[in-house]
Amino acid sequence: MQKEIEMLKVVAKLDLNDNDIEKIESILKEKNLDWSVVLQGIFKHKIVNIFFFIVKNNRLLEYIPNYVIKALISNWEYSKIKMKNYKKLIKDATVKLNERNIPYALIKGFDTNDKLYFEYDENIREFNDLDLFVSEENLTEAEKVFIEDGFVAGDYSLASENVDKVSRYNQIRIKMGSHQIYNLVKKINFSDDGMIYGPLIVDINFEVYLGGKDKKQNPISTKDMLETRKLRENYEGIKYYSLDEYYTLVQLIYHFYRETTEDGEVDFNLHNLCDIHLYLKHYADKWNLSILKEIIMKHKMEEVFWFALYFVDVTFETSYMEVILDKDIDYSEKYKQHIEFWK
């Protein structure tokens, strides 16, 4: 394994011991460290702010070139601007969703940040969109909340700083073959001086990946999942609904599985693994393990959980697999290509 990637795996643990910090420092000190690999890695794996947080708080910046430090600081400051705008969006959107009696839950980015990363720094967990979870019957009404606020289905072009609207055909195609509708985008001014424009992006999910679409699986009812939702309030008084601790984990694990195996590709994203690792660590003494096991068996999710827990365990030197799954469950032969890739 390249030493640069080895270092990033350690960084992604976030909760570091003295040996971890020493390992990071020793790699940073190496004369032939390839900073292009490091930069490519932290941006690809969406751990730029985690890397900056770790090296800054452990006084390791002296080993980093100035141009890299400038890139880290710029990304950190831009993330703060994005967070400010997404908070405003969440405040406004959740009020409107409640007024229209649309049961929803926030998932992934903001919710994960609020539950797991806030104790470090709210800016540490990067996300580029707001992920909303609603039942399929409420899709149209939920979409209206954002359309009425100036959002359109499309993609944002960094080059032109404009939103390219997507055709109705592609909107239907995405909905029919996916767990979500085409993302909704709105161009806004990110800065007071009018120099920085950027997109607010909303992803509306109407089912958990594979829920009911894979004939080998029992359907995972979105309605049933939303019945477990709980009202949360962050330190700024932002109130929103979130899935309970069990189905939040189900969603995170399905999300990782989908992104890692979709279209037959072999790829990994460290920040998804970090989410699962921190979630398991945070809730280890807070949930009833028998309830989690019952949910896994009910929806026949042993394979998906095995996949995620295997890579969390080998990456972060944990032992969640033996606690959560039956010891006889093993899919290593099926996923040997992924295992070899990650080595």
Side-chain angles (χ1 to χ4, degrees):
M1 182 190 299
Q2 288 178 283
K3 57 181 177 289
E4 292 86 359
I5 303 303
E6 183 181 356
M7 176 179 66
L8 298 189
K9 284 187 176 182
V10 178
V11 166
K13 288 171 64 176
L14 197 52
D15 281 329
L16 307 182
N17 56 39
D18 291 341
N19 289 335
D20 294 327
I21 296 170
E22 287 177 9
K23 188 171 187 177
I24 294 170
E25 184 175 8
S26 67
I27 294 175
L28 288 174
K29 285 181 175 179
E30 293 195 21
K31 300 291 186 183
N32 62 343
L33 189 67
D34 190 336
W35 280 101
S36 65
V37 173
V38 175
L39 284 171
Q40 182 182 19
I42 60 178
F43 276 97
K44 175 187 182 297
H45 291 286
K46 300 179 183 177
I47 58 169
V48 183
N49 287 351
I50 291 179
F51 181 75
F52 182 52
F53 180 85
I54 292 296
V55 295
K56 186 175 186 297
N57 284 4
N58 289 286
R59 301 182 180 182
L60 300 175
L61 286 175
E62 62 181 290
Y63 307 116
I64 300 177
N66 284 338
Y67 75 91
V68 175
I69 294 175
K70 289 179 180 178
L72 297 176
I73 292 173
S74 295
N75 192 79
W76 182 273
E77 292 301 320
Y78 183 66
S79 297
K80 287 170 65 176
I81 294 172
K82 282 197 302 182
M83 175 65 81
K84 176 182 176 182
N85 284 282
Y86 273 109
K87 283 179 182 177
K88 184 179 185 306
L89 173 63
I90 290 167
K91 286 180 182 178
D92 295 341
T94 52
V95 168
K96 293 174 183 176
L97 289 165
N98 290 331
E99 287 175 346
R100 301 185 189 198
N101 296 314
I102 301 173
Y104 75 90
L106 298 189
I107 57 175
K108 294 189 270 190
F110 182 84
D111 180 54
T112 304
N113 185 49
D114 186 42
K115 288 177 178 175
L116 304 178
Y117 294 86
F118 172 71
E119 62 183 277
Y120 305 96
D121 189 292
E122 72 165 4
N123 203 42
I124 201 171
R125 196 331 188 141
E126 299 174 69
F127 60 93
N128 296 311
D129 51 35
L130 174 63
D131 287 284
L132 191 70
F133 189 51
V134 301
S135 62
E136 191 164 5
E137 67 184 38
N138 286 317
L139 267 179
T140 301
E141 286 302 309
E143 189 176 9
K144 281 182 183 177
V145 168
F146 299 96
I147 296 295
E148 291 170 3
D149 191 34
F151 284 80
V152 298
D155 299 291
Y156 185 77
S157 169
L158 290 173
S160 67
E161 293 187 332
N162 287 314
V163 178
D164 298 324
K165 294 182 181 180
V166 69
S167 68
R168 184 61 181 165
Y169 168 79
N170 279 330
Q171 290 182 55
I172 296 171
R173 181 179 61 83
I174 290 297
K175 180 179 181 295
M176 290 180 64
S178 179
H179 58 291
Q180 64 185 52
I181 62 173
Y182 210 98
N183 51 242
L184 304 173
V185 188
K186 179 182 179 181
K187 174 185 174 180
I188 66 165
N189 186 351
F190 271 7
S191 62
D192 295 333
D193 59 11
M195 289 296 291
I196 304 176
Y197 286 91
L200 286 178
I201 303 172
V202 177
D203 280 343
I204 304 181
N205 302 253
F206 57 89
E207 63 181 24
V208 172
Y209 177 65
L210 293 182
K213 289 192 173 182
D214 188 327
K215 298 305 180 184
K216 297 178 182 177
Q217 304 235 165
N218 287 331
I220 302 175
S221 168
T222 299
K223 284 186 177 180
D224 289 347
M225 291 179 70
L226 286 172
E227 286 180 2
T228 75
R229 67 195 183 122
K230 298 177 180 179
L231 186 65
R232 289 182 60 84
E233 183 174 356
N234 78 347
Y235 77 104
E236 289 184 316
I238 298 176
K239 295 180 180 180
Y240 69 94
Y241 282 100
S242 169
L243 296 177
D244 77 357
E245 58 269 34
Y246 304 103
Y247 280 106
T248 294
L249 179 62
V250 167
Q251 191 282 318
L252 288 173
I253 282 181
Y254 263 119
H255 180 60
F256 170 70
Y257 181 79
R258 176 181 63 82
E259 290 211 335
T260 310
T261 62
E262 194 172 35
D263 300 326
E265 294 184 5
V266 178
D267 199 6
F268 286 82
N269 198 310
L270 268 174
H271 94 284
N272 288 336
L273 276 173
C274 188
D275 287 348
I276 298 169
H277 166 55
L278 288 180
Y279 197 86
L280 289 166
K281 181 179 179 180
H282 181 77
Y283 285 96
D285 59 351
K286 294 181 174 65
W287 55 24
N288 186 327
L289 194 57
S290 63
I291 294 177
L292 177 61
K293 290 182 176 181
E294 183 181 337
I295 291 172
I296 294 171
M297 292 180 64
K298 176 182 178 182
H299 300 297
K300 300 180 181 179
M301 296 185 290
E302 291 90 346
E303 180 177 339
V304 175
F305 264 74
W306 181 92
F307 184 88
L309 296 178
Y310 175 87
F311 288 104
V312 169
D313 281 349
V314 299
T315 303
F316 302 115
E317 299 176 341
T318 52
S319 55
Y320 298 121
M321 176 89 76
E322 64 184 47
V323 174
I324 296 174
L325 294 180
D326 189 298
K327 63 181 179 180
D328 295 327
I329 296 174
D330 185 6
Y331 291 93
S332 55
E333 183 63 26
K334 180 175 180 177
Y335 294 106
K336 61 182 179 182
Q337 187 179 3
H338 294 79
I339 292 171
E340 287 302 315
F341 173 85
W342 199 232
K343 286 180 180 178

